[in-house]
Amino acid sequence: MTAPLLILTCLHCSRGGVPLLEDVSLTVHPGEAVVVRGPNGSGKTTLLRTIAGLQPMTSGGMLRDGESIAYVSHANGVKDTLTAAENLAFWAGLHGVDGVDAALDALSLGSLRNRRAQTLSAGQKRRLALARLLVTGRPLWLLDEPTDSLDEASVRLFVDLARTHLASGGAALVASHGDPGLDARVLDVAAFRPKGTDARFADEAFL
Amino acid sequence: MIRVVLRDLKLAVRAGGGFGLALAFFLIACVLVPFGVGPDSGRLASIAPGMLWVGALLACLLSLDRIFATDFEDGSLELLATAPLPLEALALSKSAAHWLTTGLPLSLVAPILALLLNLPSAAYGSLVLSLLIGTPTLSMIGTFGASLTVGLKRGGLLLSLLVLPLYVPTLIFGSEAVNRAAAGQGNATPLLLLALITLGSLAVLPFACAMTLRGNLR
Protein backbone atom coordinates (compact mmCIF):
# COMPACT_ATOMS: atom_id res chain seq x y z
CA MET A 1 0.00 0.00 0.00
CA THR A 2 1.36 3.38 -0.93
CA ALA A 3 1.69 6.13 1.62
CA PRO A 4 -1.44 8.20 2.20
CA LEU A 5 -1.52 11.69 0.72
CA LEU A 6 -3.44 13.10 3.62
CA ILE A 7 -3.97 12.06 7.23
CA LEU A 8 -6.20 14.06 9.54
CA THR A 9 -6.39 13.02 13.17
CA CYS A 10 -8.88 14.71 15.48
CA LEU A 11 -8.61 17.92 13.52
CA HIS A 12 -10.44 20.94 14.95
CA CYS A 13 -10.98 24.03 12.87
CA SER A 14 -12.77 27.31 13.25
CA ARG A 15 -13.83 30.17 11.03
CA GLY A 16 -13.63 33.74 12.26
CA GLY A 17 -13.18 32.55 15.84
CA VAL A 18 -16.26 30.30 15.78
CA PRO A 19 -15.44 26.59 16.11
CA LEU A 20 -16.96 24.76 13.15
CA LEU A 21 -15.51 21.27 13.10
CA GLU A 22 -14.27 18.94 15.82
CA ASP A 23 -12.44 15.65 15.73
CA VAL A 24 -12.31 15.20 11.99
CA SER A 25 -10.28 12.11 11.19
CA LEU A 26 -9.66 11.11 7.63
CA THR A 27 -7.05 9.25 5.63
CA VAL A 28 -6.82 9.67 1.88
CA HIS A 29 -4.70 7.28 -0.15
CA PRO A 30 -3.60 7.78 -3.74
CA GLY A 31 -6.43 6.85 -6.09
CA GLU A 32 -9.13 7.76 -3.61
CA ALA A 33 -11.74 10.47 -3.82
CA VAL A 34 -13.70 11.83 -0.89
CA VAL A 35 -16.82 13.92 -1.27
CA VAL A 36 -17.27 16.42 1.55
CA ARG A 37 -20.93 17.06 2.23
CA GLY A 38 -22.89 19.16 4.64
CA PRO A 39 -25.41 21.99 4.79
CA ASN A 40 -24.45 25.61 4.16
CA GLY A 41 -22.08 26.97 6.75
CA SER A 42 -21.19 23.57 8.13
CA GLY A 43 -17.51 23.99 7.43
CA LYS A 44 -16.81 22.34 4.07
CA THR A 45 -14.82 25.27 2.76
CA THR A 46 -13.13 25.76 6.13
CA LEU A 47 -11.97 22.15 6.08
CA LEU A 48 -10.54 22.49 2.57
CA ARG A 49 -8.86 25.82 3.39
CA THR A 50 -7.33 24.32 6.53
CA ILE A 51 -5.94 21.39 4.58
CA ALA A 52 -4.64 23.77 1.93
CA GLY A 53 -2.75 25.62 4.67
CA LEU A 54 -4.58 28.89 4.16
CA GLN A 55 -5.75 28.96 7.75
CA PRO A 56 -4.42 27.28 10.88
CA MET A 57 -6.15 24.40 12.57
CA THR A 58 -7.22 24.94 16.16
CA SER A 59 -5.92 21.59 17.33
CA GLY A 60 -5.37 18.05 16.17
CA GLY A 61 -2.97 16.54 13.70
CA MET A 62 -2.57 16.89 9.98
CA LEU A 63 -0.03 15.07 7.83
CA ARG A 64 0.31 16.16 4.25
CA ASP A 65 2.88 17.68 1.95
CA GLY A 66 1.98 21.32 1.29
CA GLU A 67 3.65 20.94 -2.10
CA SER A 68 1.22 18.18 -3.07
CA ILE A 69 -1.90 20.32 -2.95
CA ALA A 70 -3.81 21.95 -5.78
CA TYR A 71 -6.71 24.02 -4.51
CA VAL A 72 -9.72 25.28 -6.46
CA SER A 73 -11.77 27.72 -4.43
CA HIS A 74 -15.18 29.28 -5.09
CA ALA A 75 -13.39 32.11 -6.85
CA ASN A 76 -11.80 31.12 -10.12
CA GLY A 77 -8.57 33.07 -9.83
CA VAL A 78 -8.84 33.98 -13.49
CA LYS A 79 -7.44 37.30 -14.69
CA ASP A 80 -10.01 39.01 -16.90
CA THR A 81 -7.59 40.91 -19.08
CA LEU A 82 -5.41 37.91 -19.89
CA THR A 83 -6.40 35.34 -22.49
CA ALA A 84 -7.36 31.83 -21.45
CA ALA A 85 -3.98 30.50 -22.58
CA GLU A 86 -2.06 33.29 -20.83
CA ASN A 87 -3.91 32.61 -17.59
CA LEU A 88 -2.96 28.95 -17.70
CA ALA A 89 0.57 29.59 -18.90
CA PHE A 90 1.23 31.71 -15.81
CA TRP A 91 0.22 28.92 -13.44
CA ALA A 92 2.04 26.31 -15.51
CA GLY A 93 5.21 28.39 -15.37
CA LEU A 94 4.86 28.95 -11.65
CA HIS A 95 4.53 25.22 -11.03
CA GLY A 96 7.20 24.38 -13.59
CA VAL A 97 4.87 22.18 -15.63
CA ASP A 98 4.19 22.11 -19.39
CA GLY A 99 0.99 21.16 -21.08
CA VAL A 100 -1.04 24.34 -21.34
CA ASP A 101 -2.49 23.28 -24.69
CA ALA A 102 -3.28 19.81 -23.45
CA ALA A 103 -5.04 21.22 -20.38
CA LEU A 104 -7.09 23.61 -22.52
CA ASP A 105 -8.08 20.80 -24.86
CA ALA A 106 -8.92 18.52 -21.93
CA LEU A 107 -11.62 20.94 -20.84
CA SER A 108 -12.58 21.73 -24.46
CA LEU A 109 -11.34 25.29 -24.19
CA GLY A 110 -9.00 24.91 -27.16
CA SER A 111 -11.07 27.11 -29.43
CA LEU A 112 -11.23 29.82 -26.76
CA ARG A 113 -7.53 29.90 -26.04
CA ASN A 114 -6.94 33.38 -27.40
CA ARG A 115 -10.08 34.92 -25.96
CA ARG A 116 -9.77 37.39 -23.10
CA ALA A 117 -11.11 35.76 -19.98
CA GLN A 118 -13.54 38.64 -19.44
CA THR A 119 -15.42 37.54 -22.55
CA LEU A 120 -15.85 33.98 -21.27
CA SER A 121 -19.06 32.78 -19.67
CA ALA A 122 -19.23 31.76 -16.01
CA GLY A 123 -19.08 28.07 -16.94
CA GLN A 124 -16.15 28.60 -19.29
CA LYS A 125 -14.27 30.48 -16.58
CA ARG A 126 -14.96 27.62 -14.19
CA ARG A 127 -13.55 25.20 -16.74
CA LEU A 128 -10.47 27.39 -17.01
CA ALA A 129 -10.11 27.27 -13.22
CA LEU A 130 -10.33 23.47 -13.38
CA ALA A 131 -7.82 23.33 -16.24
CA ARG A 132 -5.36 24.95 -13.83
CA LEU A 133 -5.36 21.69 -11.86
CA LEU A 134 -3.77 19.92 -14.79
CA VAL A 135 -0.87 22.35 -15.01
CA THR A 136 0.02 22.18 -11.33
CA GLY A 137 1.22 18.60 -11.58
CA ARG A 138 0.11 18.05 -7.99
CA PRO A 139 -1.52 14.86 -6.72
CA LEU A 140 -3.98 16.04 -4.03
CA TRP A 141 -6.85 18.07 -5.47
CA LEU A 142 -8.94 20.11 -3.05
CA LEU A 143 -12.03 21.20 -4.94
CA ASP A 144 -14.65 23.55 -3.59
CA GLU A 145 -17.88 23.11 -5.57
CA PRO A 146 -15.95 22.29 -8.76
CA THR A 147 -19.06 21.81 -10.88
CA ASP A 148 -20.50 25.22 -10.02
CA SER A 149 -22.13 26.74 -13.13
CA LEU A 150 -20.98 23.86 -15.36
CA ASP A 151 -23.40 22.36 -17.87
CA GLU A 152 -24.02 18.61 -18.01
CA ALA A 153 -21.46 17.94 -20.72
CA SER A 154 -18.80 19.86 -18.81
CA VAL A 155 -19.61 18.02 -15.61
CA ARG A 156 -19.05 14.72 -17.47
CA LEU A 157 -15.81 16.13 -18.86
CA PHE A 158 -14.70 17.01 -15.35
CA VAL A 159 -15.67 13.62 -13.93
CA ASP A 160 -13.67 11.88 -16.66
CA LEU A 161 -10.67 14.07 -15.85
CA ALA A 162 -11.00 13.37 -12.15
CA ARG A 163 -11.18 9.61 -12.86
CA THR A 164 -8.03 9.80 -14.97
CA HIS A 165 -6.34 11.73 -12.18
CA LEU A 166 -7.35 9.12 -9.58
CA ALA A 167 -6.26 6.29 -11.83
CA SER A 168 -2.83 7.84 -12.16
CA GLY A 169 -2.30 7.88 -8.42
CA GLY A 170 -3.86 11.20 -7.54
CA ALA A 171 -6.49 11.89 -4.93
CA ALA A 172 -9.28 14.40 -4.55
CA LEU A 173 -11.31 15.99 -1.81
CA VAL A 174 -14.46 17.44 -3.31
CA ALA A 175 -16.85 19.72 -1.42
CA SER A 176 -20.12 19.46 -3.24
CA HIS A 177 -23.87 19.65 -2.74
CA GLY A 178 -24.72 17.66 -5.80
CA ASP A 179 -23.46 14.22 -6.67
CA PRO A 180 -20.39 14.78 -8.82
CA GLY A 181 -20.67 11.22 -10.12
CA LEU A 182 -17.38 9.97 -8.71
CA ASP A 183 -17.48 6.65 -6.90
CA ALA A 184 -16.30 8.29 -3.75
CA ARG A 185 -16.50 7.95 -0.03
CA VAL A 186 -18.69 10.56 1.59
CA LEU A 187 -17.52 12.64 4.51
CA ASP A 188 -20.51 14.35 6.09
CA VAL A 189 -19.11 17.30 8.03
CA ALA A 190 -22.41 17.76 9.86
CA ALA A 191 -21.27 14.83 12.05
CA PHE A 192 -18.28 16.83 13.27
CA ARG A 193 -20.19 19.81 14.58
CA PRO A 194 -18.81 21.04 17.91
CA LYS A 195 -20.61 19.25 20.72
CA GLY A 196 -19.66 21.33 23.75
CA THR A 197 -22.16 24.01 24.64
CA ASP A 198 -19.30 26.48 25.12
CA ALA A 199 -18.20 25.98 21.60
CA ARG A 200 -21.62 26.19 20.07
CA PHE A 201 -22.95 29.08 22.00
CA ALA A 202 -19.74 31.00 22.48
CA ASP A 203 -21.23 34.04 20.77
CA GLU A 204 -24.33 34.09 22.96
CA ALA A 205 -22.26 33.57 26.11
CA PHE A 206 -20.03 36.43 25.08
CA LEU A 207 -22.96 38.76 24.58
CA MET B 1 9.47 35.31 -9.28
CA ILE B 2 10.19 36.55 -12.77
CA ARG B 3 6.88 35.04 -13.87
CA VAL B 4 4.91 36.98 -11.29
CA VAL B 5 6.69 40.19 -12.30
CA LEU B 6 6.01 39.53 -15.98
CA ARG B 7 2.36 38.71 -15.31
CA ASP B 8 1.88 41.89 -13.29
CA LEU B 9 3.56 43.96 -15.99
CA LYS B 10 1.29 42.39 -18.59
CA LEU B 11 -1.78 43.07 -16.45
CA ALA B 12 -0.62 46.66 -15.93
CA VAL B 13 -0.40 47.45 -19.63
CA ARG B 14 -3.69 45.73 -20.50
CA ALA B 15 -6.94 47.65 -20.35
CA GLY B 16 -7.72 48.98 -16.89
CA GLY B 17 -4.30 48.02 -15.58
CA GLY B 18 -3.45 51.58 -14.66
CA PHE B 19 -0.05 51.79 -16.29
CA GLY B 20 0.71 55.41 -17.11
CA LEU B 21 -1.79 56.65 -14.57
CA ALA B 22 0.90 57.43 -12.03
CA LEU B 23 2.99 59.02 -14.72
CA ALA B 24 0.14 61.25 -15.90
CA PHE B 25 -0.64 62.21 -12.31
CA PHE B 26 2.99 63.16 -11.70
CA LEU B 27 3.00 65.24 -14.86
CA ILE B 28 -0.20 67.10 -14.00
CA ALA B 29 0.75 67.66 -10.36
CA CYS B 30 4.07 69.20 -11.37
CA VAL B 31 2.49 71.30 -14.11
CA LEU B 32 -0.01 72.67 -11.58
CA VAL B 33 2.65 73.89 -9.18
CA PRO B 34 3.67 77.01 -11.20
CA PHE B 35 -0.02 77.95 -11.44
CA GLY B 36 -0.28 77.77 -7.69
CA VAL B 37 2.91 79.51 -6.61
CA GLY B 38 3.33 81.87 -9.54
CA PRO B 39 5.81 81.95 -12.40
CA ASP B 40 8.70 83.52 -10.44
CA SER B 41 11.60 81.36 -11.61
CA GLY B 42 13.72 81.86 -8.49
CA ARG B 43 10.95 80.73 -6.19
CA LEU B 44 10.14 77.75 -8.44
CA ALA B 45 13.77 76.70 -8.51
CA SER B 46 13.95 76.74 -4.73
CA ILE B 47 10.88 74.54 -4.24
CA ALA B 48 11.46 72.31 -7.28
CA PRO B 49 13.34 69.47 -5.49
CA GLY B 50 10.71 69.15 -2.80
CA MET B 51 7.80 69.43 -5.24
CA LEU B 52 9.25 66.82 -7.58
CA TRP B 53 9.78 64.40 -4.73
CA VAL B 54 6.34 64.98 -3.21
CA GLY B 55 4.81 64.56 -6.67
CA ALA B 56 6.65 61.28 -7.23
CA LEU B 57 5.62 60.05 -3.81
CA LEU B 58 1.94 60.80 -4.34
CA ALA B 59 2.03 59.31 -7.82
CA CYS B 60 3.45 56.11 -6.33
CA LEU B 61 0.63 56.02 -3.83
CA LEU B 62 -2.04 55.98 -6.54
CA SER B 63 -1.63 52.38 -7.62
CA LEU B 64 -0.61 50.83 -4.30
CA ASP B 65 -4.03 49.52 -3.30
CA ARG B 66 -4.19 47.44 -6.48
CA ILE B 67 -1.05 45.47 -5.67
CA PHE B 68 -2.90 42.73 -3.78
CA ALA B 69 -6.53 43.86 -3.95
CA THR B 70 -7.27 42.58 -7.46
CA ASP B 71 -5.59 39.25 -6.76
CA PHE B 72 -7.53 38.97 -3.52
CA GLU B 73 -10.87 39.70 -5.17
CA ASP B 74 -10.59 37.18 -7.99
CA GLY B 75 -9.15 34.48 -5.74
CA SER B 76 -5.68 34.43 -7.29
CA LEU B 77 -4.04 35.39 -4.01
CA GLU B 78 -5.20 32.18 -2.30
CA LEU B 79 -3.92 30.18 -5.24
CA LEU B 80 -0.61 32.04 -5.19
CA ALA B 81 -0.36 31.27 -1.47
CA THR B 82 -0.64 27.54 -2.22
CA ALA B 83 1.75 27.76 -5.20
CA PRO B 84 5.42 26.75 -4.90
CA LEU B 85 6.45 30.41 -4.64
CA PRO B 86 7.01 31.53 -1.02
CA LEU B 87 4.89 34.53 0.01
CA GLU B 88 8.07 36.46 0.76
CA ALA B 89 9.15 36.09 -2.85
CA LEU B 90 5.66 36.99 -3.99
CA ALA B 91 5.80 40.25 -1.99
CA LEU B 92 9.18 41.09 -3.45
CA SER B 93 8.00 40.33 -7.01
CA LYS B 94 4.86 42.39 -6.51
CA SER B 95 6.81 45.41 -5.35
CA ALA B 96 9.31 44.95 -8.17
CA ALA B 97 6.45 45.00 -10.67
CA HIS B 98 5.01 48.08 -8.98
CA TRP B 99 8.36 49.83 -9.17
CA LEU B 100 8.80 48.95 -12.85
CA THR B 101 5.39 50.43 -13.67
CA THR B 102 5.64 53.55 -11.47
CA GLY B 103 9.01 54.32 -9.86
CA LEU B 104 11.17 53.64 -12.89
CA PRO B 105 9.15 55.67 -15.43
CA LEU B 106 8.74 58.47 -12.87
CA SER B 107 12.50 58.66 -12.39
CA LEU B 108 13.07 58.76 -16.12
CA VAL B 109 10.63 61.57 -16.92
CA ALA B 110 11.56 63.63 -13.85
CA PRO B 111 14.17 65.76 -15.71
CA ILE B 112 11.50 66.93 -18.19
CA LEU B 113 9.32 68.10 -15.32
CA ALA B 114 12.34 69.57 -13.57
CA LEU B 115 12.70 71.80 -16.62
CA LEU B 116 9.14 73.06 -16.08
CA LEU B 117 9.97 73.85 -12.45
CA ASN B 118 13.21 75.57 -13.39
CA LEU B 119 15.44 73.24 -11.39
CA PRO B 120 19.13 74.16 -11.90
CA SER B 121 20.47 71.83 -14.57
CA ALA B 122 23.37 70.77 -12.32
CA ALA B 123 20.85 68.87 -10.19
CA TYR B 124 19.27 66.79 -12.99
CA GLY B 125 21.62 63.88 -12.52
CA SER B 126 21.10 63.86 -8.77
CA LEU B 127 17.33 64.07 -9.22
CA VAL B 128 17.23 60.96 -11.41
CA LEU B 129 19.73 59.15 -9.23
CA SER B 130 17.91 59.96 -5.98
CA LEU B 131 14.60 58.86 -7.48
CA LEU B 132 16.13 55.65 -8.81
CA ILE B 133 17.55 54.88 -5.38
CA GLY B 134 14.55 56.06 -3.39
CA THR B 135 11.48 54.87 -5.33
CA PRO B 136 12.10 51.13 -4.71
CA THR B 137 11.51 51.87 -1.00
CA LEU B 138 8.27 53.60 -1.85
CA SER B 139 7.10 50.47 -3.69
CA MET B 140 8.30 48.12 -0.98
CA ILE B 141 6.75 50.05 1.92
CA GLY B 142 3.62 50.43 -0.20
CA THR B 143 3.47 46.69 -0.79
CA PHE B 144 3.66 46.18 2.94
CA GLY B 145 0.80 48.64 3.41
CA ALA B 146 -1.17 46.85 0.70
CA SER B 147 -0.66 43.51 2.42
CA LEU B 148 -1.97 45.03 5.67
CA THR B 149 -5.12 46.39 4.06
CA VAL B 150 -5.86 43.52 1.67
CA GLY B 151 -9.43 42.35 2.07
CA LEU B 152 -10.68 45.66 3.42
CA LYS B 153 -13.32 47.46 1.44
CA ARG B 154 -12.05 50.95 0.57
CA GLY B 155 -8.70 49.91 1.97
CA GLY B 156 -6.97 52.42 -0.31
CA LEU B 157 -7.68 55.38 1.95
CA LEU B 158 -6.45 53.59 5.05
CA LEU B 159 -3.44 52.46 3.07
CA SER B 160 -2.48 56.07 2.30
CA LEU B 161 -2.74 57.01 5.96
CA LEU B 162 -0.59 54.06 6.97
CA VAL B 163 2.02 54.45 4.30
CA LEU B 164 2.59 58.21 4.00
CA PRO B 165 4.21 58.65 7.44
CA LEU B 166 6.57 55.79 6.58
CA TYR B 167 7.59 57.67 3.43
CA VAL B 168 8.90 60.66 5.42
CA PRO B 169 12.57 59.60 5.74
CA THR B 170 12.78 58.77 2.04
CA LEU B 171 11.27 62.15 1.17
CA ILE B 172 13.65 64.03 3.47
CA PHE B 173 16.84 62.42 2.18
CA GLY B 174 15.65 62.34 -1.44
CA SER B 175 14.80 66.01 -1.66
CA GLU B 176 17.86 66.94 0.41
CA ALA B 177 20.09 65.17 -2.13
CA VAL B 178 18.54 67.20 -4.95
CA ASN B 179 18.64 70.44 -2.93
CA ARG B 180 22.33 70.05 -2.24
CA ALA B 181 23.10 69.29 -5.86
CA ALA B 182 21.11 72.36 -6.90
CA ALA B 183 23.15 74.46 -4.49
CA GLY B 184 26.36 73.00 -5.87
CA GLN B 185 27.23 71.04 -2.73
CA GLY B 186 28.23 67.42 -2.37
CA ASN B 187 25.28 65.13 -1.76
CA ALA B 188 26.88 61.76 -1.09
CA THR B 189 25.55 61.60 2.49
CA PRO B 190 21.82 61.92 1.74
CA LEU B 191 22.17 59.55 -1.23
CA LEU B 192 23.90 56.96 0.96
CA LEU B 193 21.23 57.30 3.64
CA LEU B 194 18.59 56.92 0.94
CA ALA B 195 20.29 53.74 -0.28
CA LEU B 196 20.43 52.52 3.31
CA ILE B 197 16.67 52.93 3.74
CA THR B 198 16.03 51.15 0.43
CA LEU B 199 18.29 48.21 1.20
CA GLY B 200 16.90 47.95 4.71
CA SER B 201 13.30 47.89 3.59
CA LEU B 202 14.03 45.41 0.78
CA ALA B 203 15.70 43.12 3.32
CA VAL B 204 13.05 43.26 6.03
CA LEU B 205 9.66 44.10 4.55
CA PRO B 206 9.11 41.02 2.32
CA PHE B 207 9.02 38.94 5.51
CA ALA B 208 6.62 41.36 7.16
CA CYS B 209 4.43 41.30 4.03
CA ALA B 210 4.32 37.50 4.03
CA MET B 211 3.27 37.43 7.68
CA THR B 212 0.49 39.97 7.25
CA LEU B 213 -0.72 38.24 4.08
CA ARG B 214 -0.93 34.90 5.89
CA GLY B 215 -2.93 36.58 8.61
CA ASN B 216 -5.24 38.35 6.20
CA LEU B 217 -5.93 35.24 4.11
CA ARG B 218 -7.30 33.31 7.09
Side-chain angles (χ1 to χ4, degrees):
Chain A
M1 190 101 192
T2 43
L5 282 165
L6 171 74
I7 304 174
L8 303 179
T9 40
C10 299
L11 182 88
H12 289 226
C13 38
S14 59
R15 178 83 186 140
V18 181
L20 276 180
L21 298 172
E22 274 185 9
D23 290 328
V24 185
S25 293
L26 177 73
T27 305
V28 182
H29 290 279
E32 280 184 324
V34 177
V35 175
V36 182
R37 270 190 208 292
N40 290 144
S42 57
K44 302 185 292 294
T45 300
T46 303
L47 180 64
L48 291 190
R49 283 176 54 92
T50 307
I51 298 171
L54 290 168
Q55 61 180 71
M57 54 193 173
T58 340
S59 68
M62 175 162 64
L63 263 181
R64 49 117 182 95
D65 180 8
E67 300 281 291
S68 71
I69 281 168
Y71 177 53
V72 171
S73 62
H74 279 286
N76 290 328
V78 166
K79 286 286 169 202
D80 275 347
T81 47
L82 298 183
T83 65
E86 282 171 337
N87 265 301
L88 269 197
F90 167 69
W91 294 109
L94 207 57
H95 285 89
V97 175
D98 304 324
V100 173
D101 290 329
L104 283 170
D105 290 335
L107 282 142
S108 64
L109 289 165
S111 55
L112 303 171
R113 57 182 326 231
N114 291 323
R115 282 260 295 273
R116 294 269 169 100
Q118 60 195 358
T119 65
L120 300 181
S121 77
Q124 288 166 338
K125 276 187 199 172
R126 196 61 182 160
R127 261 148 61 196
L128 189 54
L130 292 172
R132 191 179 58 81
L133 289 169
L134 301 177
V135 295
T136 58
R138 291 181 161 188
L140 181 55
W141 289 0
L142 302 177
L143 313 176
D144 203 344
E145 299 287 352
T147 53
D148 238 15
S149 61
L150 290 188
D151 58 24
E152 276 176 36
S154 305
V155 171
R156 277 198 298 277
L157 207 60
F158 161 71
V159 170
D160 288 344
L161 272 181
R163 289 222 175 96
T164 319
H165 176 67
L166 296 178
S168 63
L173 222 68
V174 186
S176 177
H177 288 295
D179 179 15
L182 292 162
D183 328 309
R185 276 190 291 156
V186 173
L187 179 82
D188 192 348
V189 288
F192 302 108
R193 229 186 255 160
K195 287 159 204 89
T197 40
D198 322 342
R200 245 165 122 184
F201 300 109
D203 281 359
E204 285 87 339
F206 177 75
L207 292 170
Chain B
M1 278 181 71
I2 295 290
R3 290 183 193 280
V4 178
V5 175
L6 288 178
R7 179 187 79 139
D8 274 20
L9 291 181
K10 204 184 268 179
L11 285 170
V13 297
R14 292 279 163 90
F19 179 71
L21 217 77
L23 211 57
F25 176 85
F26 187 41
L27 183 83
I28 290 172
C30 290
V31 167
L32 285 180
V33 172
F35 292 117
V37 301
D40 175 28
S41 57
R43 191 192 292 162
L44 275 179
S46 68
I47 62 165
M51 280 319 302
L52 286 164
W53 256 95
V54 170
L57 197 139
L58 293 178
C60 251
L61 204 62
L62 272 185
S63 48
L64 284 182
D65 62 327
R66 300 177 61 95
I67 292 182
F68 290 119
T70 48
D71 278 344
F72 180 79
E73 281 158 16
D74 65 22
S76 311
L77 196 54
E78 288 188 339
L79 304 181
L80 283 166
T82 56
L85 189 73
L87 280 177
E88 288 83 358
L90 175 71
L92 204 55
S93 325
K94 284 278 183 184
S95 69
H98 181 262
W99 182 72
L100 287 172
T101 49
T102 54
L104 182 63
L106 285 182
S107 312
L108 298 179
V109 299
I112 301 168
L113 297 170
L115 189 70
L116 291 176
L117 294 178
N118 199 29
L119 184 77
S121 56
Y124 282 14
S126 296
L127 175 68
V128 175
L129 190 62
S130 71
L131 282 170
L132 281 177
I133 297 175
T135 44
T137 326
L138 303 184
S139 294
M140 194 64 242
I141 295 176
T143 307
F144 174 56
S147 70
L148 277 173
T149 55
V150 70
L152 290 178
K153 298 267 177 268
R154 309 281 299 152
L157 292 171
L158 180 62
L159 172 62
S160 313
L161 294 180
L162 284 173
V163 156
L164 278 176
L166 298 174
Y167 280 178
V168 170
T170 311
L171 175 64
I172 292 174
F173 294 121
S175 51
E176 180 62 16
V178 187
N179 266 324
R180 288 201 182 180
Q185 301 164 331
N187 61 359
T189 314
L191 283 179
L192 281 175
L193 284 167
L194 202 58
L196 181 78
I197 299 171
T198 300
L199 293 175
S201 62
L202 287 179
V204 174
L205 286 179
F207 297 96
C209 284
M211 285 173 78
T212 50
L213 277 179
R214 268 185 215 111
N216 276 333
L217 276 176
R218 274 184 194 184

